[in-house]
């Protein structure tokens, strides 16, 4: 069923991971999709696998206002309108405490994860008012429950949650809904890179499975299905919602992974990613 037939989606971070799965879901549901990324290689790879007249690729950085103003204008020029803005682009580094995080690292993660939403909204809100459109933000479970050794990242996701609710109130009079999706662990290229950097690589996969009470760490398609619901008419009376897609990971603490004999290393940090 094409529940997004003739809709136009402006999707940031859409060439990898959750974003790529969302792009495929939106297209299959009948949407035209403008995919924004700042990664040339990733854009090229994605275009080779996923390209037709209803998919439009734009090289742009969400942290740069002129890039996003240009991307919004290009999308409208190409497709004629924008119905949905999905703010999926995000970075998770550095894996540090507050005091160990440099000014440059702090600014980078905030400029992408939070200011990116500011930029797409600032330059896209006029188009959404015309279509009574939708804004969807990709947040994270850690924005609610916290996470050790990821102070800047968790701070940005907490900000995304609060921003989502404020925007829902601000734009409801225009018929615009604003929601966020909050995954826990999701197998994306970013998570796989992080997993390979951990000191106990052999146990990471089982660890990531076990932190979810449903018993497994999902692929991005699980999150994409929920995103499709939130941007469709099926969720027409849902706004200001931070919807967990977490397999129950937030419901309580359990000691999931035994340490190897003689190993005093602490358990690895869960990595919630875009």
């Amino acid at each position: 069923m094409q529940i997004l037939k003739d809709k136009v989606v402006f999707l940031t971070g859409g060439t990898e991971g959750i974003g790529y799965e969302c792009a495929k879901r939106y297209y299959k549901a009948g949407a035209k999709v403008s995919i924004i990324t700042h990664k040339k290689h990733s854009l090229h790879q994605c275009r080779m696998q996923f390209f037709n007249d209803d998919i439009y690729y734009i090289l742009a950085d969400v942290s740069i206002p002129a890039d996003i103003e240009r991307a919004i204008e290009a999308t409208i020029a190409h497709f004629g309108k924008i119905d949905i803005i999905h703010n999926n682009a995000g970075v998770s580094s550095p894996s540090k405490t507050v005091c160990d995080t440099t000014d440059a690292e702090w600014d980078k993660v905030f400029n992408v994860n939070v200011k990116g939403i500011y930029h797409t909204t600032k330059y896209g809100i006029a188009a959404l008012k015309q279509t009574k459109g939708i804004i969807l933000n990709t947040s994270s479970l850690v924005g609610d429950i916290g996470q050790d050794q990821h102070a800047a990242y968790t701070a940005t996701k907490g900000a995304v949650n609060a921003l989502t609710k404020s925007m829902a109130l601000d734009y409801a009079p225009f018929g615009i809904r604003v929601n966020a999706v909050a995954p826990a662990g999701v197998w994306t290229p970013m998570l796989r890179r992080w997993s390979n950097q951990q000191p106990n690589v052999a146990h990471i996969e089982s660890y990531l499975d076990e932190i979810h009470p449903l018993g497994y760490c999902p692929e991005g398609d699980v999150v994409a299905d929920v995103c499709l619901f939130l941007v469709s008419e099926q969720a027409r009376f849902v706004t200001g919602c931070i919807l967990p897609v977490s397999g129950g990971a937030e419901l309580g603490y359990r000691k999931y992974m035994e340490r190897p004999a003689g190993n005093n290393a602490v358990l690895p940090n869960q990595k919630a990613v875009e």
Side-chain angles (χ1 to χ4, degrees):
M1 183 171 63
Q2 293 198 315
I3 59 177
L4 295 185
K5 184 174 175 55
D6 297 327
K7 299 294 185 181
V8 175
V9 182
F10 183 92
L11 171 63
T12 68
T15 58
E16 295 181 358
I18 291 171
Y20 180 57
E21 295 298 329
C22 285
K24 291 190 294 183
R25 284 292 188 277
Y26 297 157
Y27 169 72
K28 187 176 180 180
K32 298 174 175 62
V33 187
S34 183
I35 298 176
I36 289 76
T37 182
H38 74 288
K39 300 177 181 178
K40 291 183 180 179
H41 180 67
S42 180
L43 186 152
H44 176 71
Q45 282 190 320
C46 191
R47 178 182 275 148
M48 294 292 290
Q49 300 171 6
F50 183 45
F51 182 78
N52 59 53
D53 291 342
D54 290 336
I55 307 297
Y56 184 48
Y57 289 92
I58 301 175
L59 192 66
D61 187 332
V62 297
S63 69
I64 300 174
D67 275 18
I68 296 308
E69 184 176 21
R70 171 179 55 82
I72 291 285
E73 290 174 351
T75 299
I76 295 171
H78 190 78
F79 289 128
K81 62 174 182 171
I82 296 175
D83 298 282
I84 298 158
I85 293 177
H86 182 174
N87 295 298
N88 178 73
V91 294
S92 60
S93 297
S95 300
K96 297 179 180 180
T97 65
V98 167
C99 296
D100 291 332
T101 304
T102 67
D103 283 356
E105 289 170 334
W106 186 271
D107 288 345
K108 179 179 179 180
V109 70
F110 268 87
N111 285 343
V112 174
N113 294 2
V114 184
K115 205 166 186 180
I117 297 174
Y118 165 72
H119 290 149
T120 62
T121 305
K122 178 178 180 179
Y123 296 112
I125 194 65
L128 292 183
K129 286 180 179 178
Q130 291 179 2
T131 59
K132 294 188 176 180
I134 295 159
I135 297 173
L136 178 63
N137 300 322
T138 299
S139 185
S140 169
L141 182 62
V142 301
D144 182 47
I145 67 174
Q147 182 182 28
D148 59 315
Q149 298 295 322
H150 286 91
Y153 178 73
T154 59
T156 64
K157 294 306 183 179
V160 169
N161 292 349
L163 183 59
T164 298
K165 294 177 182 181
S166 292
M167 289 167 61
L169 291 171
D170 288 338
Y171 300 121
F174 302 98
I176 296 171
R177 297 190 295 106
V178 186
N179 292 294
V181 63
V186 180
W187 284 119
T188 64
M190 188 184 298
L191 181 59
R192 294 190 188 280
R193 288 192 294 269
W194 173 84
S195 298
N196 290 330
Q197 295 167 2
Q198 300 310 302
N200 201 1
V201 174
H203 293 265
I204 291 295
E205 186 167 345
S206 60
Y207 164 73
L208 287 168
D209 285 341
E210 292 296 332
I211 63 173
H212 303 87
L214 286 181
Y216 66 98
C217 182
E219 300 287 340
D221 62 321
V222 168
V223 183
D225 285 341
V226 176
C227 291
L228 177 59
F229 163 72
L230 286 174
V231 301
S232 75
E233 280 297 300
Q234 293 177 342
R236 60 192 174 277
F237 206 62
V238 179
T239 197
C241 175
I242 315 299
L243 184 56
V245 189
S246 60
E250 73 277 18
L251 297 178
Y253 173 82
R254 291 185 295 171
K255 185 176 179 181
Y256 293 106
M257 186 175 71
E258 295 182 1
R259 299 176 185 175
N263 187 342
N264 293 320
V266 298
L267 297 179
N269 297 312
Q270 176 193 351
K271 189 74 164 181
V273 299
E274 63 167 329

